[in-house]
Amino acid sequence: MSLVSPLLLLAAFQAEPARVSIDPSSLELTVGSTVQLSAGAFSAAGAELSNVTVRWFSADPEIASVDASGRVLALQPGTVRILAVAGRTRGVATVTVPELPPASIALQLPDDNVRAGASAPLRVTVMTEAGTRLTAADVRYESSNADVAAVDREGRVFGRQAGTARITVSAGAVSKSIEVRVIDNPASDYRVVPNAAAARTGDVIRFRVEATDPNGNAVGGIYPEWSMSGAGAQIETEGGEGVFVAEEAGRYRITALIGEETSRTTFVKVARRNTPARLTTVGRGPITGNHSGDVWVFEGVDGRDYAYVGTLYYDWMKVWDVTDPTNPTLIDSMQLDARRINDVKIHPNNRIGILTREGASDRRNGIVILDLSTPAHPTILSEYTATVTGGVHNVWIEPNDIVYAAHNGTSNMHIIDISDPSQPREVNVWGLPKPASSKTLHDIIVQDGYAYLSYWDDGVIILDVGAGTHGGTPTEPVQVSQFKYPIGNTHVAWRAGRYLFLGDEIFPPNWDPDRVIETRGYLHVVDVSDIENPREVARFEIPEAGAHNLWAEDDRLYVGYYQAGLRVIDISGELRGDLYRQGREIAALKTTDENTMVPNWPMTWGAQLFKGHVFAWDLNSGLWVMKLDETVIIP
């Protein structure tokens, strides 16, 4: 066996750069063009280091790719960071790819005809040659016959008299025309429904206009534009409806613009939402020797109730008997070769459990399958590491013995068959078609045959894994849609009814679990009633705190909100706007007491409802058992 000399070790140590710079550090590239970047590595004294290997990465290869030599290729509009990494030090360059010019325009009216004296919105979609949509294009409108149909600067078409006219829409050097047929309008009366409405903050009211002829017969084809007076509320035009919601109590005037000379108004009186509840701690399972990870609560095959608690930067899984929820009792622990047991999941049959493993000393991480025939003292039945040695952050177990695992190494979803739990086997892999270095799969949840993959900067990916809508099966997923937002950090998803709740997770740089951690992030509320076209409709954001894991049940959403504690949100009815400002939060409790690793600092991880109790867990203080009391009376 050869030994490395101290001189070589010293040279290697000195070769570690203190700084890496990229030239140029910022630039603009048009789609399809390339540029050669160069990188230099420098010592702390400012001397340039030679013989240093530089590796190149793109933070988003969908916008711009970079090869091993540092040549960048612009692929689509956006802004991306290009990284040059030498040792453990990196340099960053910013590449901006401007929007392409308009290449095509698509036009659509809500109906074949526009009624005289009324109006309709013209939907305009401007596309580039690359197939991207231009949302901020400078669009111009012109009517061939304004006596028949006029058009304003926002694209609303006003019918003036029966006949036809062509509306031409231009953007850049391209234009598109649509023929507008204006027909007679028999309507003699218009009224807004509902009239003089009353609501609470957070209640969504859908206004519409009813048009009738002199005989009282309904007249269709009316598509008003909606507006309101006053701050503290919003109204959006959807089809012919005005969708209203208020964040603040008050009286609001609602106006429906029907035609150039016709409008109708109504009023809505909004009272402050008042749905108080109280979270009360009824039991504690304090853990102060290490930071706690994920938890799963279940009824064992012996008829008793258990909470299995994972750990952060620790190698034990702890077993708590919670049959008496007021007195959780630590009865066993299981040690693994790991620096983190992030996730704990129990098979729906309550006979098999899975622990995820990260940071194993032999770098063979993967998952550990537990035999729960004696749930008070689980034993290791088997392990699966073959294709997931890079560590598994989260898993989901389906009743059909399929496990979906989020693998750190590939950022792919690995599909593992545990029908024979003593011999688990991988049956498929699904992942975004991007290099592992430019994607992060954090969490997987499966509900009603759809898998929701929280893919960080790539948002949420929705897969058919047996829903029966897009041809997917549990082992052959089919992508249905994707939803992402500019800042990214999509950490977790939970489906409840027509809504998908997405949680951000934003940690400060160089955070230390043994100290105060100031997290950020909030909940995005996404309407997935049209699952191929998800759209964000609401949000829940607590100032100065960050969201983590979610659980929904009975129109209540339970959110581990880190330093803001456990929050309970009323998610009944239709959701729009700012749920926090609307007063939809009904209860909160900060999970900190004298038994904690970081004094006076809660870091609530998440919650699970089980047999009428709320089981919450905290990074710094372990297990909490609560009751939600919704009979609170406010004098």
Side-chain angles (χ1 to χ4, degrees), residues 583-635:
R584 278 185 172 266
E585 179 179 281
I586 64 172
L589 190 147
K590 290 194 174 183
T591 51
T592 189
D593 57 18
E594 68 278 5
N595 296 306
T596 182
M597 297 189 68
V598 180
N600 303 313
W601 197 257
M603 286 293 283
T604 312
W605 184 288
Q608 177 184 343
L609 268 65
F610 182 77
K611 294 187 177 181
H613 287 85
V614 182
F615 286 81
W617 47 99
D618 185 284
L619 185 76
N620 293 328
S621 59
L623 188 64
W624 295 69
V625 188
M626 309 174 190
K627 288 286 288 185
L628 178 66
D629 181 5
E630 298 197 59
T631 63
V632 177
I633 299 175
I634 301 297

Side-chain angles (χ1 to χ4, degrees), residues 59 77 96 110 126 139 206 214 218 243 310 341 351 362 366 413 453 596 629:
T96 301
V126 182
V139 178
R206 288 183 169 267
V243 186
I341 303 171
R351 296 178 178 275
D362 61 1
M413 179 180 75
L453 280 61
T596 182
D629 181 5

Side-chain angles (χ1 to χ4, degrees), residues 481 498 527-535:
S481 57
R498 67 189 284 190
D527 188 334
V528 289
S529 52
D530 178 0
I531 202 160
E532 293 184 0
N533 297 286
R535 61 192 185 98

Side-chain angles (χ1 to χ4, degrees), residues 455-459 485-492 503-507:
Y455 248 115
W456 215 248
D457 289 341
D458 292 295
Y485 35 88
I487 296 177
N489 293 72
T490 303
H491 162 270
V492 70
D504 289 337
E505 183 182 59
I506 303 174
F507 267 53

Side-chain angles (χ1 to χ4, degrees), residues 201-230:
T201 53
D203 288 345
V204 175
I205 303 175
R206 288 183 169 267
F207 290 99
R208 68 185 191 280
V209 169
E210 289 185 349
T212 54
D213 65 15
N215 296 320
N217 299 313
V219 176
I222 305 300
Y223 300 95
E225 182 177 56
W226 296 88
S227 61
M228 48 153 275
S229 64

Side-chain angles (χ1 to χ4, degrees), residues 61-286:
E62 292 181 358
I63 295 175
S65 63
V66 62
D67 66 16
S69 72
R71 180 168 290 277
V72 176
L73 170 63
L75 298 172
Q76 67 174 355
T79 300
V80 60
R81 294 180 304 156
I82 302 297
L83 310 178
V85 181
R88 296 185 298 273
T89 308
R90 69 179 188 177
V92 180
T94 302
V95 175
T96 301
V97 183
E99 289 279 10
L100 290 169
S104 64
I105 300 174
L107 306 176
Q108 184 180 12
L109 284 166
D111 205 337
D112 292 336
N113 307 309
V114 177
R115 293 197 177 275
S119 64
L122 180 60
R123 181 180 177 182
V124 178
T125 305
V126 182
M127 305 294 289
T128 69
E129 288 184 1
T132 57
R133 183 174 180 177
L134 289 172
T135 57
D138 182 15
V139 178
R140 304 175 301 280
Y141 301 90
E142 185 179 359
S143 172
S144 66
N145 190 344
D147 291 336
V148 172
V151 59
D152 67 13
R153 289 181 294 180
E154 302 301 321
R156 176 159 286 270
V157 178
F158 296 90
R160 289 178 170 171
Q161 65 180 9
T164 59
R166 295 194 69 79
I167 303 298
T168 300
V169 179
S170 303
V174 297
S175 62
K176 179 80 171 182
S177 296
I178 185 173
E179 185 174 271
V180 176
R181 182 167 175 257
V182 179
I183 61 175
D184 290 332
N185 186 0
S188 60
D189 184 55
Y190 301 96
R191 66 189 186 100
V192 176
V193 178
N195 188 29
R200 301 171 300 170
T201 53
D203 288 345
V204 175
I205 303 175
R206 288 183 169 267
F207 290 99
R208 68 185 191 280
V209 169
E210 289 185 349
T212 54
D213 65 15
N215 296 320
N217 299 313
V219 176
I222 305 300
Y223 300 95
E225 182 177 56
W226 296 88
S227 61
M228 48 153 275
S229 64
Q234 65 182 49
I235 191 166
E236 298 175 309
T237 301
E238 282 191 1
E241 293 184 321
V243 186
F244 170 89
V245 67
E247 276 81 41
E248 297 178 8
R251 188 169 183 265
Y252 299 91
R253 178 195 295 269
I254 308 298
T255 300
L257 174 65
I258 298 165
E260 289 178 293
E261 299 178 354
T262 307
S263 63
R264 294 291 184 270
T265 62
T266 189
F267 295 89
V268 56
K269 185 177 181 180
V270 179
R272 187 66 187 166
R273 198 177 196 88
N274 185 19
T275 52
R278 179 181 292 119
L279 278 170
T280 304
T281 303
V282 298
R284 279 282 280 119

